[in-house]
Amino acid sequence: MRYANKKYTIWGFGLSQNQADTVGGFAGSMYRLRTWDNEFPDFSHQDMEPPCLICFSLERARAFAALPRMETAHLEMIPKTLLLHEGYSLQEVEEALDLGCGVVLRPPFTAERLDPVLRRATETAALHKDILNMTREISLERELLENKNETLDFLVNFLTSTTEQLDEKEVLRTAYASLGKLFPVQSLNAVLTHENDEGSIDTELYIAAPKDHVQYLAWRSLLLEAASAQNPGKTLMPSSMSLQLPGLDKLAPSPADGHTFTLPLVAGTEKIGCVILLTNMNRNLNRDQGLALDSAMRHLGLTLKNVQRFQQMCHYADYDSLTGTHNRRNFEERLIDEVRRHSRYKLPLSLVMLDLDHFKKVNDTWGHIAGDRVLQSAARVIEKTIRGSDYCARYGGEEFVIILPHTDKESATLLAERLRTAMAAQQQEVGSARFSISCSLGVACLDEAGEGSPHALISDADAALYEAKAGGRNKVVCNTKGAENPMAHAAHG
């Protein structure tokens, strides 16, 4: 193979030495000639610079035409010229045209004959290069547009799916599933923080591992470290919970199994925690991915903050703000459900109504702030005395109601008696004054065979309470619906 360093490349296949010297000599400084005698190069090789012109002998033109099209398809636009030998025939000229040679040069090969061929080849090569560059630019722009569309689809999906959730765990699970469409995410763990009234930081840890899993403590430590860095100098009050991610089940990757991203969660200017992502991706995110991830995390922070606000509003709607017990509206809804459950399963249901004795005297003597403290103290006594399955609500003023599912009148009366005793034993402190306050309780029950309504059950408990107060207070009375000797317990002395 012989070639000189030229600007454009001409390929020659099967040319005689005289033909090669003539073409190379006439081509001048703008071209270089690369020639092969009896073999073809690897046309797909990355170092093969495409030519502006291909020159053949008749034998090599036949061989080139016989090559598989997949090897030569990218050379179809390249002009092809056949150099005839001395003594050629008209039949060979026709065959050259059939073989795809657009130009046939017969000897002698002069500059006048070769120059137009080279000029047209150069123009064709420049045009081909322009078309190729345009095609590449269009392909690149199309690829960039597809990437942007994929990023936009991700953001729309992320924003829509996370906004639909009203629970922190569900929001985080949805975020994990959506982020996997942007880049490989092996695990997602999160910490949410909120400053409490004492100035310390309530810290909720959402860990993508069961509590008995070996990786649980590793992620917990990492989350606490991130929370501490976000709240320097503050005391953390952590509570941990397992976050089951879709597709992982009990499989919990270690923080060392990939690369971790610690991303802050912000709602406006308020820092509310952070997310730690684990990925096995070995390259950095590209610009579009980085912008999309930043937008997703900003939205996630706002979504989690809105979920917390929604849950807070639900709490305000269902709970009494002073005592922390359920409120009357929520009690009435709960009692309807419990009566329906009683009717369906034929299990006993009891209701206790409790009223603090002489409560007005507390307000009149020590003021309403002292009265509020007594109500709060009474609520704590009730919560400590009843079972976890029982339900307590503030019915109004100084009255409380307790729903006792699966409880007959004897057990309900015994519980009411424990409440009466515990309430009387509770010492109240207002300034230097110390006193106790008693309570009266009315009990009503629907037994296994009994039918009733929420209104009737409340009415029966209220009647029993009225009887307890009329009988001297500091009593427990069970409504036996007309029995001659209602069960009553009283403290005397």
Side-chain angles (χ1 to χ4, degrees):
M1 180 181 71
R2 307 177 303 276
Y3 64 89
N5 186 22
K6 308 293 181 182
K7 185 175 182 180
Y8 291 98
T9 301
I10 302 173
W11 286 357
F13 296 106
L15 304 183
S16 66
Q17 185 64 49
N18 181 55
Q19 290 173 330
D21 291 342
T22 302
V23 171
F26 288 153
S29 60
M30 289 183 59
Y31 305 91
R32 66 172 183 174
L33 176 65
R34 299 185 66 180
T35 62
W36 292 266
D37 294 331
N38 297 316
E39 78 282 350
F40 290 111
D42 179 3
F43 295 123
S44 64
H45 196 276
Q46 60 181 1
D47 292 335
M48 286 296 293
E49 181 185 349
C52 67
L53 176 67
I54 301 177
C55 296
F56 290 107
S57 66
L58 182 58
E59 179 184 354
R60 290 284 86 193
R62 290 169 181 160
F64 183 84
L67 291 174
R69 188 177 181 280
M70 60 180 299
E71 296 182 14
T72 61
H74 65 290
L75 300 174
E76 287 183 355
M77 297 292 295
I78 307 299
K80 299 173 182 62
T81 298
L82 180 70
L83 303 182
L84 294 172
H85 55 80
E86 294 288 348
Y88 65 89
S89 66
L90 184 59
Q91 185 178 6
E92 290 177 333
V93 175
E94 294 176 352
E95 182 182 1
L97 296 175
D98 292 339
L99 292 173
C101 296
V103 176
V104 179
L105 293 180
R106 63 181 185 275
F109 307 116
T110 63
E112 291 75 11
R113 292 179 178 177
L114 189 60
D115 186 65
V117 175
L118 292 175
R119 187 169 60 252
R120 287 194 297 272
T122 303
E123 292 172 354
T124 301
L127 179 61
H128 181 262
K129 185 177 181 180
D130 289 343
I131 293 174
L132 184 62
N133 288 338
M134 290 174 60
T135 302
R136 288 173 178 170
E137 289 177 3
I138 292 172
S139 177
L140 181 59
E141 290 178 358
R142 180 178 178 180
E143 182 179 351
L144 291 174
L145 184 60
E146 288 177 350
N147 290 338
K148 290 185 181 296
N149 284 337
E150 289 178 359
T151 302
L152 182 60
D153 288 342
F154 157 74
L155 283 175
V156 171
N157 176 267
F158 187 93
L159 269 60
T160 302
S161 59
T162 53
T163 305
E164 291 175 346
Q165 310 303 323
L166 295 175
D167 176 79
E168 289 98 333
K169 281 189 175 183
E170 291 304 319
V171 170
L172 292 171
R173 289 190 189 104
T174 303
Y176 165 76
S178 297
L179 285 169
K181 299 175 182 177
L182 183 66
F183 65 99
V185 179
Q186 294 174 280
S187 181
L188 179 149
N189 299 264
V191 54
L192 300 181
T193 57
H194 174 72
E195 186 170 354
N196 57 35
D197 295 338
E198 289 74 29
S200 57
I201 304 297
D202 290 333
T203 308
E204 298 178 358
L205 308 175
Y206 295 87
I207 303 174
K211 289 191 175 182
D212 58 351
H213 196 281
V214 65
Q215 300 302 339
Y216 187 87
L217 293 179
W219 285 111
R220 186 179 187 277
S221 175
L222 202 61
L223 289 170
L224 285 175
E225 183 180 334
S228 180
Q230 200 174 65
N231 300 274
K234 296 286 187 177
T235 301
L236 302 183
M237 305 295 291
S239 62
S240 304
M241 59 198 76
S242 180
L243 176 66
Q244 293 181 333
L245 297 178
L248 285 185
D249 297 327
K250 291 188 177 181
L251 177 64
S254 162
D257 289 340
H259 308 289
T260 57
F261 293 163
T262 301
L263 306 171
L265 294 172
V266 179
T269 58
E270 180 186 1
K271 295 179 180 179
I272 65 168
C274 61
V275 165
I276 300 181
L277 301 177
L278 179 70
T279 178
N280 59 1
M281 189 169 62
N282 292 322
R283 60 179 177 80
N284 294 329
L285 298 178
N286 60 40
R287 182 176 179 274
D288 287 341
Q289 287 176 313
L291 292 174
L293 182 60
D294 181 67
S295 297
M297 288 301 104
R298 290 180 181 276
H299 173 77
L300 183 60
L302 289 172
T303 299
L304 288 167
K305 186 64 177 180
N306 287 336
V307 166
Q308 291 175 342
R309 288 169 178 160
F310 172 78
Q311 292 176 344
Q312 191 176 38
M313 291 303 296
C314 289
H315 180 86
Y316 290 154
D318 292 341
Y319 288 83
D320 176 59
S321 59
L322 176 63
T323 63
T325 61
H326 295 88
N327 58 25
R328 180 166 178 168
R329 182 195 64 81
N330 187 261
F331 158 73
E332 291 171 347
E333 293 178 353
R334 177 66 173 266
L335 186 60
I336 291 172
D337 292 338
E338 292 296 342
V339 170
R340 286 174 179 169
R341 190 174 292 111
H342 157 78
S343 299
R344 184 181 302 118
Y345 298 108
K346 306 301 180 184
L347 295 170
L349 173 65
S350 294
L351 179 68
V352 176
M353 188 168 285
L354 179 151
D355 183 83
L356 299 180
D357 297 331
H358 304 295
F359 181 74
K360 184 176 182 301
K361 182 179 178 181
V362 175
N363 285 332
D364 293 344
T365 305
W366 291 287
H368 287 85
I369 293 178
D372 289 346
R373 291 178 181 173
V374 169
L375 288 172
Q376 292 169 338
S377 174
R380 288 194 295 269
V381 170
I382 295 171
E383 293 288 353
K384 289 179 180 178
T385 306
I386 65 177
R387 303 166 302 182
S389 59
D390 299 333
Y391 173 95
C392 174
R394 185 183 180 191
Y395 194 65
E398 65 272 22
E399 287 186 335
F400 294 85
V401 284
I402 302 105
I403 300 175
L404 306 174
H406 308 172
T407 305
D408 58 24
K409 62 183 178 181
E410 288 80 11
S411 298
T413 305
L414 289 174
L415 176 62
E417 178 61 25
R418 286 201 300 272
L419 277 171
R420 187 196 64 76
T421 304
M423 195 70 68
Q426 180 74 13
Q427 289 293 307
Q428 309 294 332
E429 294 185 11
V430 178
S432 59
R434 291 172 60 87
F435 62 93
S436 62
I437 185 168
S438 64
C439 64
S440 301
L441 302 101
V443 179
C445 181
L446 296 176
D447 60 23
E448 292 87 337
E451 294 296 330
S453 67
H455 175 75
L457 192 59
I458 293 173
S459 179
D460 290 344
D462 188 53
L465 175 61
Y466 179 80
E467 184 176 346
K469 293 170 69 174
R473 292 184 171 83
N474 197 18
K475 288 176 177 282
V476 175
V477 171
C478 178
N479 191 319
T480 57
K481 297 184 179 179
E484 293 183 0
N485 296 308
M487 181 182 299
H489 299 261
H492 301 285

